[in-house]
Amino acid sequence: MKPPHKITTLLAVACLLTAGCAVSSAAPAQNGRRTPVTGIVHQPDEISTVSPTWIDGLRVVRDSSNDRSCAWSIAYPRVPGADLFTAALRRMVEDRRAEFLRQACDHTAELNLDFAFLVASGDVIGVRYTEWWLGGAGDGKSTTTRWYDGKTGQALPAVSLIDPDAFGKLAAGLGTALSRKQGFDSGALRSVMADDASRSRYLDDLAFTAHGDLVVTFDESVVGVAPAGQLRAVLPASIARPLLSDFGRRVQRQVVEPERHLGLNGSVSPTPTLAPATEGTADCRQVKCVALTFDDGPGPYTQTLLAHLAKFHARATFFVVGQNVAISPDVVRQTAEAGHELGNHSWSHRDLTRLTAAQVRDDLRRTDQAIKKASDVSPRIVRPPYGAVNDVVREQTPHPLILWSVDTLDWKYRDSARVTRAAVSGAKPGAIILFHDIHPTTVAAIPQILHTLSGRGYHFVTVTQLRDEAAR
């Protein structure tokens, strides 16, 4: 990824639930394994993606700010048996976050790193990142691909798909494919392809269609004028194959005819079975109720959190990110089966107020569909990332918008004792308390919070129960 170019009482709950005020404290199983689901290719030159839900233990590791004045969200997959690849992706996204914080952390800027799997079968893994860096020194969208060779255990850049002796022929093929693109600059392409350093920096998004055609995407201003945006060249499979390295041919083969396994050595813990929560039947007009809400998951610690909640028979509301749901549908299903509420928290934690009306609708619809597919439950509520709401978001959101009355600041301070104090001191009848189950320090704080609040007579219910009680 290249550097950028340029409530509370029940009566108060209604305001929080409708986001009418700004409130914050600042595939079927086969032989016991799920089979891969290949992305639907709508256009002949569309990059093929997969949803590798058959990889046991695959999780999304996400981190984000909840401060809209410095809006960022990063994520990477944690792949069992591919520790070096996981580490390489972690370094990449953390480096981008650090660069963003140095250059552009203000109210006009947003950094969002979203990814999709290109292939995860046989002995290869491919991940494609989409970066949105808006405001500050950023100029919008950029993309990059990263690869893992299970044979050698190496994390590899995009150029590793190409035979080192074939870059001259690749340059000619790209020139022909791009020649009809408006804004294309052939001189810029020659500069990009001139040496190893420039190729490694700018030739960083290589992928395949479902038919094995090679798709090369250049970021804005790399091989064309800025108004042309990203420029994409597609080389037919028959032309691309002689240009590929041995690793590139293995990748191409796994995209076209994916195997039903990933040949890596990794062990994972079995998914625990939890009894459904029994809390939530309380009459919140007669007893003290609070809603514990958890954003940005599911993540690596969500199952531990579910176990904590089960011990106290407590229900909670989970505002999940669609990208995470697609990777970890088993955890989402388990969350619903344990009696908790699922809410929509967008597909990849974009600031929805920066999107068009159509983009907001598509983002939330896509997330709703992922939740329904994973859990057989249709979400009834939405929490906008960063609590960011405007008229467009209100008009395009199909469900009530939910904010919060207590922000534990667990996203800012990774301190279990501090999170506990914030939650306990902020709890009042009808409170909606904000946590993030992507942080181990938060999950570690939950048992003490549950113990203390239950000792003070509080019942733990879902946001929708609070909403329904407030409406009576």
Side-chain angles (χ1 to χ4, degrees):
M1 201 164 294
K2 296 174 282 298
H5 299 297
K6 325 236 187 205
I7 248 181
T8 67
T9 64
L10 284 176
L11 294 177
V13 174
C15 179
L16 298 167
L17 298 175
T18 59
C21 57
V23 180
S24 70
S25 298
Q30 293 184 0
N31 300 322
R33 312 179 87 171
R34 288 182 296 278
T35 57
V37 180
T38 303
I40 299 173
V41 177
H42 299 285
Q43 301 295 333
D45 64 346
E46 187 170 347
I47 292 171
S48 179
T49 62
V50 298
S51 181
T53 54
W54 72 96
I55 303 176
D56 291 333
L58 178 65
R59 294 290 180 262
V60 177
V61 180
R62 181 174 294 279
D63 200 358
S64 65
S65 162
N66 206 47
D67 183 356
R68 197 182 176 196
S69 67
C70 184
W72 56 265
S73 178
I74 61 174
Y76 61 90
R78 188 179 70 183
V79 186
D83 293 345
L84 290 178
F85 187 54
T86 298
L89 295 179
R90 181 180 68 247
R91 287 194 300 270
M92 181 184 73
V93 300
E94 290 180 347
D95 286 349
R96 295 306 291 152
R97 174 180 59 182
E99 185 71 13
F100 174 77
L101 294 177
R102 284 194 297 268
Q103 291 193 26
C105 190
D106 59 48
H107 69 281
T108 66
E110 178 192 7
L111 174 69
N112 183 275
L113 293 173
D114 183 18
F115 69 86
F117 276 90
L118 302 174
V119 61
S121 62
D123 54 10
V124 299
I125 304 173
V127 171
R128 187 176 194 248
Y129 265 89
T130 299
E131 173 183 301
W132 291 97
W133 180 323
L134 306 174
D139 62 352
K141 178 182 178 182
S142 64
T143 52
T144 187
T145 59
R146 293 292 185 269
W147 301 88
Y148 183 72
D149 185 347
K151 280 188 175 181
T152 64
Q154 290 182 300
L156 301 170
V159 290
S160 64
L161 273 62
I162 305 300
D163 186 321
D165 295 327
F167 282 113
K169 293 181 180 178
L170 176 63
L174 293 175
T176 300
L178 292 169
S179 61
R180 293 185 294 274
K181 302 280 187 177
Q182 188 173 4
F184 169 60
D185 183 341
S186 59
L189 176 62
R190 286 193 296 273
S191 296
V192 166
M193 301 298 293
D195 54 56
D196 289 342
S198 60
R199 288 194 294 265
S200 295
R201 182 177 183 183
Y202 296 113
L203 194 66
D204 69 342
D205 184 356
L206 276 66
F208 295 95
T209 70
H211 300 292
D213 301 339
L214 178 65
V215 182
V216 181
T217 305
F218 294 97
D219 282 341
E220 177 183 312
S221 302
V222 173
V223 295
V225 297
Q230 288 190 311
L231 292 180
R232 172 180 291 190
V234 181
L235 303 183
S238 59
I239 295 176
R241 184 170 178 78
L243 308 179
L244 301 177
S245 64
D246 173 71
F247 176 66
R249 288 192 292 272
R250 283 194 279 129
V251 171
Q252 185 188 47
R253 183 168 60 251
Q254 289 298 334
V255 170
V256 176
E257 297 181 357
E259 298 176 17
R260 300 309 191 192
H261 75 282
L262 185 60
L264 308 177
N265 295 318
S267 60
V268 297
S269 301
T271 300
T273 300
L274 301 176
T278 56
E279 184 65 278
T281 58
D283 184 346
C284 295
R285 296 169 299 174
Q286 304 296 324
V287 299
K288 296 189 293 186
C289 295
V290 292
L292 308 183
T293 66
F294 298 91
D295 288 11
D296 295 1
Y301 317 106
T302 302
Q303 289 176 315
T304 301
L305 171 60
L306 293 175
H308 292 332
L309 294 169
K311 289 179 181 178
F312 284 83
H313 307 289
R315 282 184 175 170
T317 300
F318 289 77
F319 290 97
V320 293
V321 175
Q323 179 191 65
N324 300 8
V325 174
I327 296 296
S328 303
D330 54 328
V331 180
V332 178
R333 183 183 66 254
Q334 183 186 14
T335 302
E337 290 175 347
H340 303 294
E341 181 174 29
L342 297 172
N344 186 321
H345 198 43
S346 84
W347 181 258
S348 65
H349 210 276
R350 291 290 309 277
D351 181 340
L352 298 179
T353 64
R354 294 178 180 271
L355 307 184
T356 66
Q359 289 172 328
V360 173
R361 286 197 307 273
D362 181 69
D363 188 289
L364 297 178
R365 175 194 55 78
R366 186 182 181 191
T367 306
D368 273 357
Q369 290 176 345
I371 296 170
K372 173 68 173 177
K373 182 178 180 180
S375 66
D376 201 29
V377 172
S378 296
R380 299 168 57 188
I381 51 179
V382 171
R383 173 168 284 166
Y386 311 107
V389 179
N390 61 11
D391 289 342
V392 172
V393 175
R394 291 188 183 94
E395 291 167 0
Q396 302 305 322
T397 303
H399 314 301
L401 289 162
I402 308 298
L403 297 183
W404 54 87
S405 59
V406 179
D407 186 350
T408 61
L409 298 179
D410 63 335
W411 53 272
K412 186 175 183 180
Y413 302 108
R414 311 297 169 84
D415 182 324
S416 297
R418 184 166 186 158
V419 172
T420 300
R421 289 194 299 270
V424 170
S425 64
K428 293 177 176 59
I432 299 176
I433 306 178
L434 172 65
F435 302 95
H436 297 78
D437 55 318
I438 58 175
H439 303 311
T441 46
T442 295
V443 173
I446 296 303
Q448 185 61 47
I449 293 169
L450 293 170
H451 175 77
T452 302
L453 292 182
S454 60
R456 296 181 182 181
Y458 280 96
H459 296 254
F460 306 104
V461 300
T462 65
V463 165
T464 292
Q465 180 170 349
L466 277 185
R467 179 172 178 264
D468 291 345
E469 295 283 1
R472 291 182 184 178

